[in-house]
Amino acid sequence: MEEFVGKLWHRWITQAAGGHYPKAAVKLKEVERTAGILFRAFGGDPGLRVAAAVEVRHGARRRWLSRVAGSDEKATPATLDLATLRLPPEIAAFPDAALNRDLYLWLAALAAAGQQPGAAAETDSCRRNQAATRRALACWPGLAPRYRRLVQAHLAQRLNPDSLPAAERPREEAIRRALLEPGSVDALPRSPVPSRPVMLWLGDFGTEPHGATQPSREAPTEDQAGSQQLKEEEERRAHQTERVEMPTEKNGMLMMFRAESIFSWGEYVKVNRPTDDDPNEDAVAAANDLDQLALADDSEKVASKVRFDLDLPSAAEDDVILGDGIPLPEWDYRKGQLLEEHVRLLEVTPQAASDSALPHRLARTARRLHQQFAALLPARRWLKGQPDGQELDVDAAVRAHADRATGGHPTDNLYLSLEKRERDLACLVLADLSLSTDTWVSDEARVIDVVKDALLLFGTAMGATGDAFALCGFSSLKRSQVRFSRLKDFGQKFDAAARGRILALKPGYYTRLGAAIRHASSQLARQPASRRVLLILSDGKPNDLDIYDGRYGIEDTRMAIIEARKLGLQPFCVTIDREGASYLPHLFGPAGYAVIRKPEELPRRLPLLYAQLTR
C-alpha cells in the first residue's frame, strides 16, 4: 500500500511541478535524420554526426514544487564541437509535441548558422548565440514564426524576474531581452546563482557551468552483439569530464576505510590488471550514474605499463608478407592537405591456406545464385536490315524487290547479322577483417564467418557472368602496418586455392579504411573494363589506435572515395553497422551504400546487390 501511494504521490507532485510533459515527448531518434539533413542543407559541416548530448546539473534556482518533487535538477544543453552536433536525447519541455520537435529543428538551424562563412569566432556564449540567432533568422526567414513561438513558450516556463532576489534579477532580464531581441545584449550581468538553462541556445546555461568541464573525446561505438542482440541501440550518452591529478598509490589493494561503505562505482580506478579479465556487466550502468568522469595523465613510461592494444603475432603464425611495403598518402582534414607517404601498406596472403572445396552448407545457395547470375549474360540476337551479315534477310529482300518493281529505290541492307554482346565489367571486393569481425552474430557463426561465406558465394556466382573480379581484405595496426590480404587477383581463377585463402582468414587489428581503398582503387583502375565497381564490406566506422579514430578517419576515407571516383570507379559500401546511416551518406552519398540489418543475410544478399548494381 505504501508503494502504491508513493507512486501516486510522485506522479502527482511531478506533474504539478511542471517542466516535463512525457505525453508530448519527442525523441532524438525520431528526428535525427531530419535534423541532420536540415543541418547540412543549411550549410553545416557535412562531416559532423548527430548524437545525444550529455545531461548535467545546472545548479540554477528552482521553483518550490520542483524542489519538493526533486525534479528539474539537470538539463541537457545542445553542443557543437569539431566532430559532433549533440542534441538532447529527448525533449519534453513543452506540452505541445510540435513545439518540442520545432526545438530540435531550431537547434540544428542555429548550429548551421554558426558555421556560415563569415561567422566571427566569438568566445562569449551569449554573444555567440545571439549572433547565430540573428544570422539564422536573416538567412531563413521561414524560421521566424517558429522561433517566436519557441521563445514565448520558453519564457513562460522561466522564473519571473520580479520573483527573484535583486542580485539575480538583472541577469534573468538580460537573458529575456537577448531571446526577444537577439543582439541587444552585449554581456550578461554577474549573478551569485546560475541562471536557468536557455533551451534555445547551444551549449549554454545562461551562465558559466560549475567547473571547467568539457565533453569527453569521441570513442568508437561498435555494436559487437550477435544478430539476436542487434536491437535498436538506446540513446548513447556523452559524459562530462574533469582533469585530475594522477593518484600516487601504487597498490590499489590497501583500503584505509571499511569496504561496506562503498555504495557506488568509483570515478577513478588505478588499474592493476588481475588474471580474471572478465568484463563488468554493470560498468555501463554505473558510468551513466556519474555526473563527471575523471581523466588524469599517467607519468609512467609506456614500457612499464600493461599494454591493452593488440600485439603482433609471431612470424610462424603471421601471414606471408609480399614485398617491402607500399607508401601511400593520407588526408589530414585539420590541415586540409594530403600527407604524402604517410602510410605503409603491406600486401599479405594467409600462410595456413590449403586448397579447399566449397563448404557443403553453401552448395545449394551457390547453385541457385549461379543460375540467377547466368541469366545476366546477354543473349545473342539477329539484327535485321544490315549491309552485310551471315544470312539473307528475307523480309528486306521482298521489300527491295517490291520497291524495284514499282519504280522505287530499293535498299541495299539485305542481310541478317548475329550480334554477340559481352559484359564489360570489373569488380574488386574489399572486405573488412578487423578485430570487430570476431563478434558473434548467432550461436554458430561470427561476423568473420559470415564474411567468408559471402566471399565464397560471391566468387562462385561471378563465375557465371564472366566478369573480371578480385577479392581482397584489410586490417591495420597504426599507419605503419596496413595489412592488405590478396585472396584472388584479377588474373587468377576462383579455384580451390582461392577458396582456401578465404577460409584461412582470421580477424585482427583495426580499420584504416582510407589506405585500403586507395590501394584497391589503384589495382581496379588498371583493369580495361568500361565499368569498374569497388565493393566494400564493412561492419563499422574507420578507426585505429592513433588519431585515425573519429572525424579524422571518416574524412580520410571520404577523400579516398573521391579519388576513386576521379579514376572512373564506382565505390559502393555494404555494411552491417546499424549506425551506418549516420555517416555513410557523407562518405558514399545517399545511393552509394546499403545497410544489412541481419548480418547472417550478407552471404545471400551480396551477390544480389552486385547484380542490381551492374544490371
Side-chain angles (χ1 to χ4, degrees), residues 303-486:
S304 63
K305 292 184 181 180
V306 177
R307 294 185 61 86
F308 292 97
D309 59 340
L310 303 174
D311 293 327
L312 292 174
S314 63
E317 298 294 333
D318 199 5
D319 295 333
V320 178
I321 298 178
L322 309 175
D324 298 330
I326 303 172
L328 292 173
E330 188 168 271
W331 175 257
D332 189 339
Y333 82 98
R334 301 166 304 179
K335 299 179 180 178
Q337 67 180 24
L338 199 65
L339 306 179
E340 297 293 340
E341 299 186 359
H342 189 71
V343 177
R344 179 160 295 273
L345 181 139
L346 302 175
E347 290 188 336
V348 300
T349 186
Q351 186 177 100
S354 59
D355 293 1
S356 303
L358 185 70
H360 180 69
R361 68 180 185 279
L362 302 177
R364 184 176 179 181
T365 305
R367 286 194 298 268
R368 184 173 67 251
L369 290 173
H370 192 277
Q371 294 172 358
Q372 293 174 343
F373 270 58
L376 297 177
L377 288 175
R380 295 186 292 180
R381 64 173 183 170
W382 290 99
L383 299 180
K384 295 184 177 181
Q386 300 299 309
D388 53 37
Q390 293 86 350
E391 296 185 13
L392 181 67
D393 187 350
V394 178
D395 292 338
V398 171
R399 285 194 298 270
H401 180 73
D403 291 340
R404 188 178 296 106
T406 56
H409 298 282
T411 179
D412 294 333
N413 299 333
L414 305 177
Y415 297 94
L416 292 173
S417 177
L418 184 61
E419 181 188 43
K420 182 180 179 181
R421 293 185 176 182
E422 294 182 354
R423 289 168 59 92
D424 192 14
L425 293 168
C427 176
L428 188 146
V429 180
L430 182 62
D432 178 5
L433 305 178
S434 61
L435 191 62
S436 59
T437 61
D438 197 28
T439 55
W440 294 86
V441 298
S442 66
D443 295 335
E444 300 178 354
R446 302 168 299 167
V447 174
I448 187 64
D449 301 323
V450 172
V451 171
K452 292 178 185 179
D453 291 349
L455 295 176
L456 290 171
L457 289 178
F458 184 84
T460 303
M462 288 291 285
T465 64
D467 296 348
F469 72 100
L471 303 177
C472 305
F474 77 97
S475 61
S476 66
L477 187 60
K478 300 184 179 180
R479 64 186 180 94
S480 60
Q481 288 210 51
V482 179
R483 303 163 72 86
F484 192 88
S485 300
R486 294 171 56 176

Side-chain angles (χ1 to χ4, degrees), residues 94 256 396 562:
F94 307 117
M256 305 302 295
I562 292 174

Side-chain angles (χ1 to χ4, degrees), residues 492-505:
Q492 296 176 338
K493 293 183 178 180
F494 188 72
D495 51 12
R499 287 190 290 267
R501 287 189 289 270
I502 293 174
L503 291 173
L505 291 175

